[in-house]
Amino acid sequence: MESQVLTSSELMDKIVGALRRNAPLSVVSVGATESFVIAQYTILSEEEFMNHPEAKIANQGEKLGFLHRGVRFPNMKLRDEVVEAIRNADIVGYNTLIRSNDAGLLTERAFVAYGIKPKYIFESYLRRVFMFSQQKKFEQMIMGRKILLIGSPAEQAMRALNHNLRAQLCFEIVGTIKIDAYEDIPEAKKQIDSYEFDLCLIAAGTNAVILASYISTVRGKVAFDIGSGMNSFFTEEVCSDFWLENLIGLDNLMKM
């Protein structure tokens, strides 16, 4: 069965619908880093992935005391957890518009290798614009909800959302959780279990995939891995990069 490709409007409908039904839902994204994580020893040999810039960037922070991607290579335990989380995900985003051996094509190769066939997929860059392109549905998503924020920008996002939208939309941000690395996941899960919430928005790289699955399957709640989109809550601008500016095009993304 072919995966159904969701527009940003359809994606938001799925999320808002789950919230209204009080049903669990996990929306995750499989970007370049996640694709290299799951390709370890399956699609790519250790020599291939360890010599690739993605692994080098992920690992280079070890000397500085932090990880640039929140993960390090090699790590088969991480690989297996991410694969299982993607299998459990209800909706999976990936780079459908970037047909690169290091991004969208690698993701699809990994899906085939593991027999992963998501029911619903979407272009992962939509996470950067949904709060602008689908403003009304974004407001429906957070209106009156108890919201948990996870990720390095969570505190800034909370302050901005409370300042700009809380009085109008009557939501409550019940807490924020910071996570820097894969090794922080057990503690993050303990903190998640200490909160009562309807919706969790996550910006934690590869670790977001694992946490979103946990929130949906164990807590029975809605988890949305919004990645760089969380920055827009306090910058009030679309988080852009080379691919968005030169290949995808912001106007095209806003119309998807």
Side-chain angles (χ1 to χ4, degrees):
M1 182 178 67
E2 291 291 322
S3 301
Q4 180 181 340
V5 181
L6 300 178
T7 65
S8 57
S9 177
E10 291 167 338
L11 173 62
M12 295 306 293
D13 285 343
K14 296 287 186 188
I15 296 170
V16 172
L19 287 165
R20 287 175 174 168
R21 299 191 310 273
N22 195 28
L25 185 79
S26 59
V27 181
V28 304
S29 178
V30 183
T33 303
E34 292 76 29
S35 297
F36 274 89
V37 165
I38 63 178
Q40 294 177 90
Y41 304 108
T42 306
I43 300 297
L44 303 174
S45 67
E46 183 171 310
E47 181 180 6
E48 287 175 316
F49 68 75
M50 289 300 290
N51 286 321
H52 191 277
E54 191 63 36
K56 291 180 178 179
I57 292 171
N59 288 353
Q60 71 183 13
E62 290 183 342
K63 296 179 181 178
L64 305 174
F66 66 93
L67 296 174
H68 284 271
R69 296 286 196 262
V71 297
R72 56 173 58 82
F73 292 84
N75 192 327
M76 288 184 287
K77 184 174 183 292
L78 168 66
R79 178 198 66 189
D80 294 345
E81 285 192 52
V82 173
V83 168
E84 186 63 20
I86 296 169
R87 288 191 197 280
N88 290 334
D90 298 289
I91 304 174
V92 179
Y94 74 97
N95 296 135
T96 62
L97 296 179
I98 303 176
R99 310 306 293 165
S100 161
N101 287 327
D102 291 344
L105 294 180
L106 178 60
T107 307
E108 290 175 353
R109 286 175 64 198
F111 284 178
V112 170
Y114 288 102
I116 295 172
K117 296 180 180 179
K119 184 175 181 180
Y120 300 106
I121 61 174
F122 68 98
E123 167 52 53
S124 60
Y125 268 82
L126 289 175
R127 302 178 305 156
R128 301 191 182 203
V129 300
F130 72 93
M131 65 289 292
F132 305 108
S133 65
Q134 300 295 325
Q135 182 180 349
K136 288 185 179 179
K137 292 183 179 182
F138 166 67
E139 291 178 355
Q140 290 172 6
M141 180 180 76
I142 65 173
M143 183 181 295
R145 313 291 181 199
K146 291 184 176 180
I147 303 169
L148 178 64
L149 301 177
I150 300 178
S152 296
E155 284 284 340
Q156 284 179 280
M158 177 182 68
R159 289 194 293 269
L161 287 170
N162 282 339
H163 180 267
N164 296 329
L165 295 172
R166 183 172 62 178
Q168 173 189 347
L169 299 177
C170 302
F171 55 79
E172 177 189 0
I173 298 178
V174 298
T176 63
I177 299 173
K178 185 178 180 181
I179 177 169
D180 295 316
Y182 169 67
E183 290 74 17
D184 298 333
I185 285 181
E187 176 58 29
K189 288 180 177 178
K190 289 181 183 178
Q191 292 186 53
I192 289 167
D193 289 345
S194 71
Y195 290 106
E196 287 299 325
F197 58 93
D198 307 306
L199 168 68
C200 182
L201 302 177
I202 315 174
T206 303
N207 301 309
V209 180
I210 298 171
L211 292 177
S213 175
Y214 178 80
I215 289 164
S216 174
T217 59
V218 177
R219 292 299 309 275
K221 302 299 182 180
V222 176
F224 186 5
D225 166 16
I226 65 171
S228 298
M230 191 175 289
N231 294 335
S232 295
F233 294 157
F234 50 88
T235 65
E236 299 183 26
E237 298 177 348
V238 175
C239 182
S240 190
D241 61 16
F242 172 84
W243 300 105
L244 178 52
E245 291 181 6
N246 296 282
L247 183 62
I248 298 172
L250 181 57
D251 287 344
N252 291 333
L253 197 62
M254 291 288 286
K255 295 173 184 175
M256 290 182 66

